[in-house]
């Protein structure tokens, strides 16, 4: 009746509504993302009727989430509707609605500000940092870039120092060889070295945009869908210059965006 899916809420540890049967914002945000992607795939495949079907379903779901699960007072997403009553905002709900593009542009700044101020109150697992770190980087400020790096240092340090040299499912005792813990590998490549796709893979374009945070230098090879991209950069000691080098695979266009240096680098 609310235009939302009712089911067992997004099952990952740390979500305050874990295993609750409700009309959950996090679950509905994931579904919106699936419908949006299905609409895109249908369009690419030339299935016009299915494209319109999935597009309309995604639009209706987004409207319902914003109408029923947005809290103007906090500027964040309510966790759910349970037994006809809304539950308080959660970082998992706000993060998911931001990540999947449910939150409209006029609300995004407030929602991201609330998320950055409140995410430490909930127990995020390594897996959900894929969404959390993306939203921190989308804030696109020097402060946010430093926060992302500090978060990786803080939470992944025990793995880096661990006996096995592997990434874990959780931040405490758990499965000690699990792909869910490899999240920093993506962000160190996509944001610190700064190489990521610019639009769909079929566009054959890359964006190279290093986010320095507090680092002085970084170097590595980013494995992209179009081939390896070696990158290195070094910030000069006085902070006023950046030595930068990269190689782009043949037949691929790349857009380069370098950070401001000096007093106005925010």
């Amino acid at each position: 009746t609310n235009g939302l899916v009712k089911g067992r809420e997004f099952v990952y540890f740390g979500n305050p509504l874990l295993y609750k049967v409700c009309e959950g914002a996090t679950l509905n945000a994931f579904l919106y993302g699936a419908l949006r992607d299905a609409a895109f795939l249908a369009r690419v495949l030339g299935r016009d009727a299915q494209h319109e079907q999935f597009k309309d379903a995604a639009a209706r779901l987004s409207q319902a989430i914003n109408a029923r699960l947005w809290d103007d007072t906090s500027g964040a997403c309510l966790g759910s509707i349970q037994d006809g009553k809304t539950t308080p905002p959660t970082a998992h709900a706000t993060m998911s609605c931001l990540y999947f593009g449910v939150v409209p542009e006029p609300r995004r700044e407030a929602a991201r500000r609330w998320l950055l101020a409140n995410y430490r109150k909930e127990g995020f697992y390594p897996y959900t940092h894929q969404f959390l770190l993306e939203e921190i980087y989308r804030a696109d400020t020097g402060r946010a870039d430093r926060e992302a790096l500090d978060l990786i240092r803080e939470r992944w340090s025990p793995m880096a120092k661990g006996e096995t040299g592997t990434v874990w499912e959780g931040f405490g005792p758990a499965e000690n060889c699990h792909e869910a813990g490899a999240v920093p590998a993506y962000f160190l490549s996509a944001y610190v070295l700064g190489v990521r796709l610019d639009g769909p893979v079929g566009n054959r374009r890359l964006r190279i945009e290093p986010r320095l945070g507090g680092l002085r230098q970084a170097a590595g090879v980013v494995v992209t869908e179009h081939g390896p991209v070696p990158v290195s950069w070094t910030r000069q000691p006085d902070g006023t210059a950046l030595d930068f080098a990269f190689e782009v695979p043949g037949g691929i266009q790349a857009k380069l965006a370098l950070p401001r240096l000096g007093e106005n680098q925010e």
Side-chain angles (χ1 to χ4, degrees):
T1 56
N2 290 317
L4 302 166
V5 171
K6 182 178 180 180
R8 190 170 68 172
E9 176 57 316
F10 174 71
V11 178
Y12 219 93
F13 308 103
N15 181 6
L17 296 169
L18 178 71
Y19 289 117
K20 301 290 185 182
V21 175
C22 58
E23 295 166 281
T26 301
L27 175 64
N28 277 273
F30 268 80
L31 180 60
Y32 168 80
L35 289 169
R36 181 194 59 191
D37 291 348
F40 171 82
L41 292 172
R43 180 173 61 80
V44 171
L45 293 170
R47 299 179 181 178
D48 295 340
Q50 287 180 308
H51 166 70
E52 292 300 327
Q53 176 189 5
F54 289 128
K55 179 182 175 182
D56 290 346
R60 290 196 303 272
L61 183 56
S62 177
Q63 290 168 3
I65 295 171
N66 280 289
R68 304 284 186 177
L69 293 172
W70 174 258
D71 180 45
D72 274 324
T73 301
S74 63
C77 294
L78 299 165
S80 71
I81 299 174
Q82 292 185 45
D83 301 321
K85 297 180 180 178
T86 58
T87 60
T90 72
H92 277 74
T94 304
M95 171 195 72
S96 300
C97 288
L98 279 166
Y99 180 86
F100 287 106
V102 176
V103 180
E105 181 62 41
R107 292 176 172 176
R108 286 178 198 164
E109 183 177 351
R112 194 168 286 118
R113 185 167 57 246
W114 187 93
L115 174 64
L116 292 176
N118 289 276
Y119 75 86
R120 289 183 178 272
K121 299 175 184 178
E122 297 176 19
F124 281 82
Y125 260 55
Y127 169 77
T128 37
H129 279 71
Q130 181 67 40
F131 313 106
L132 177 62
L133 285 167
E134 187 73 49
E135 286 311 313
I136 293 175
Y137 272 113
R138 284 177 181 173
D140 198 14
T141 66
R143 179 178 179 182
D145 293 348
R146 291 189 293 272
E147 180 160 354
L149 285 173
D150 287 345
L151 193 58
I152 291 172
R153 290 188 186 100
E154 171 193 336
R155 296 187 175 179
W156 268 265
S157 177
M159 298 186 207
K161 298 175 182 177
E163 179 183 5
T164 60
T166 55
V167 292
W168 308 343
E169 181 181 17
F171 289 120
E175 170 58 58
N176 281 0
C177 187
H178 200 287
E179 81 284 353
V183 170
Y186 168 74
F187 288 95
L188 294 175
S189 298
Y191 286 96
V192 176
L193 292 177
V195 182
R196 54 191 185 275
L197 289 176
D198 187 9
V201 176
N203 289 357
R204 300 183 64 79
R205 292 200 305 264
L206 294 172
R207 182 175 182 85
I208 302 178
E209 181 185 12
R211 306 282 276 273
L212 310 187
L215 297 177
R216 289 293 181 188
Q217 63 88 27
V221 179
V222 180
V223 179
T224 76
E225 289 83 347
H226 304 298
V229 178
V231 177
S232 65
W233 57 258
T234 302
R235 179 160 43 184
Q236 293 302 309
D238 62 3
T240 61
L242 188 69
D243 293 331
F244 194 79
F246 65 93
E247 295 179 21
V248 177
I252 302 301
Q253 293 184 334
K255 181 177 181 179
L256 177 63
L258 294 177
R260 295 192 190 96
L261 299 175
E263 296 180 358
N264 298 318
Q265 64 181 319
E266 290 293 319

